[in-house]
Amino acid sequence: MISLRTALGAGVLVLVLVTAGLAVHAFQAKRHAAVEARIAARQEPVLTPAPGPAPRGLPVVSPAGLERGEVPRGHVDGVALRALLIRRQFEELTLAVEQLQWGMESNPQDEHWMTDGIQALGNGAPDSEALLDAWVEASPRSFAPYLARGAHWVNVGYLRRGTRFVAATADEELAGMQKAFERAVSDLHRAWALQPKAVAAARPLLNVATALGDREARERVFARAAEQCPSCADVRTVYLHGLTPRWGGSYEEMDAFAEAQSRAHPELGFLRGFADWDRAREPGADTDRTLALLARALSAGDHWEFRLERADQLRRTKALDAALVDANQAVALRPARADVYFGRARILASSQKWGPAGEDLLHGLRLEATDAEGRALQPGVVKGMVYAAWEQHEAGHREEALRLLELAGELAPGDPEVSRWRTRIVTSQPQAEAQLKEPEDFRAVQQRDYALARERRFAEILPLWDAFLARNPEHGLAYLERSGTHYHLRNLEAALSDLKRACDLGINEGCARARQVERARDAAR
């Protein structure tokens, strides 16, 4: 017969085990929630950019005054390509990507047109998923939408995984990456089957193979790409990235590959600099040694990644003028890459050149709205621009102050601090009502609007904007301002119409406010 002491002891043990089990379950649930929040934060766009104007013709920018053999020779307009996607102009988008492919086939030096164009279309932004699905449905016989959607899911996979070493990466992050890659690989192989010369499919496939440690798949993909395009540079640089020690390779492998490729194709001589470039990126490396390694890398060839890395190293040493020289050259060498704009924006911010920093940051975010560097830069740049705007105002440069605040509003739509300072500066200078008889001056109308709004005379504001927009029907900021008047007059549909028009004209704040008004309208129903 079990004694009372034994029974009580067993009961206590069971209670302790149950309590411990509940504590473990609670801890695991909390850890899982933290990981999911971390993944979601990485995928949340810094901002959702307005589409911007759709391109007319091939979306390639050719710099004026340069011969074809000079640098830069031209670059794809990734923002314009994304405008076609966001506007659902799928027929034009398909033709544009196919034209980029034909151009690359006729001149492999234009490989980056496809590489950078597909990166812009498949940048991993969450709002792209439905758009890319619709594009595939609209153009199922073209390789273009499959290639872009495949690149999108590769980028989603990397966003889900994060940038930590494997030991510090959660199982959920690795599983999320794997699931995204499965969707990507199917689309990328489909694109390559539909267009056997679409070497651009190799780059994301190589990234997948590298992340998964699948050396056999990596060699297979590269062999096919190299056969189709013996002198393509981009596919070789991404292959070299996979040979770095952090991905299981070695500097000996990198040097051997670079040497073999350079001998076969002298124009690829810059590949010899990649091992030194990677050595220079080792954490905690001595500054002098790092700069010497990057100088040696650049002696192999003037490659944009080498320039960008040296620009960042120089920034860290406070050599900001020299850093900006390298950053400018990185932009000139690869002007369709978001990385170069984020890198230069950081240098400009360190130099307190807030207007140019904001312009670079905004352009980079239009290309890649979920980029970690852009995310880190945004709060400080916006704060710096607000400070610079007030300095400009104090110095009597009112228009420059308002231009800075409008740019800050594009980077941080709805930021109350930006709105407060904009209102303060707009209303800081008296403006005669007589000047509004011929409403051609946006600032004059804006100032009268804000003055009347303080007295809640919204019905008197509306005719001012109506008259201005009748003469200036493409003025996005005017639609944004009039939308506020409609909102205060409780005409929600008119406010929403103006916000959508402002968004369509490239005003990010119009897009953000349109989403807010739509949510408020739907909640009220």
Side-chain angles (χ1 to χ4, degrees), residues 10 12-13 95 98 101-102 124 134 142 169 179 214 240 281 301 365 370 394 409 411 413 415 419 449 461 498:
V12 170
L13 178 61
L95 179 59
E98 289 179 346
Q101 173 65 29
W102 299 333
S142 173
T169 303
K179 187 175 180 181
D214 191 341
L240 263 174
R281 299 166 69 223
L365 289 172
T370 58
E394 290 283 273
L411 284 166
D415 187 306
S419 298
D449 173 335
I461 299 172
D498 273 356

Side-chain angles (χ1 to χ4, degrees), residues 133-148:
D133 288 345
W135 184 18
V136 168
E137 186 175 347
S139 305
R141 294 183 178 85
S142 173
F143 77 99
Y146 295 101
L147 179 54

Side-chain angles (χ1 to χ4, degrees), residues 9 113 127 158 164-165 167 204 283 324 361 384-385 392 408 413 480-481:
W113 293 4
D127 61 335
Y158 273 94
R164 299 179 181 183
F165 289 110
L324 188 56
L361 177 57
M385 291 176 72
Q392 290 290 331
L480 180 68
E481 296 288 7

Side-chain angles (χ1 to χ4, degrees), residues 58 62 81 186 227 264 308 341 511 522:
L58 186 64
S62 298
L81 276 178
S186 174
E227 181 181 359
L308 195 59
Y341 295 99
C511 305
D522 295 343

Side-chain angles (χ1 to χ4, degrees), residues 123-206:
N123 62 15
D127 61 335
S128 294
E129 183 178 343
L131 291 168
L132 291 167
D133 288 345
W135 184 18
V136 168
E137 186 175 347
S139 305
R141 294 183 178 85
S142 173
F143 77 99
Y146 295 101
L147 179 54
R149 190 169 69 176
H152 166 80
W153 283 109
V154 172
N155 284 313
V156 169
Y158 273 94
L159 286 169
R160 289 177 178 177
R161 184 203 183 282
T163 56
R164 299 179 181 183
F165 289 110
V166 173
T169 303
D171 290 342
E172 295 94 328
E173 291 171 312
L174 294 172
M177 177 189 73
Q178 178 74 45
K179 187 175 180 181
F181 283 175
E182 288 171 1
R183 298 185 68 169
V185 168
S186 174
D187 274 343
L188 292 168
H189 283 303
R190 174 68 173 155
W192 219 349
L194 286 167
Q195 174 47 275
K197 293 184 180 180
V199 178
R203 187 179 177 96
L205 284 169
L206 287 170

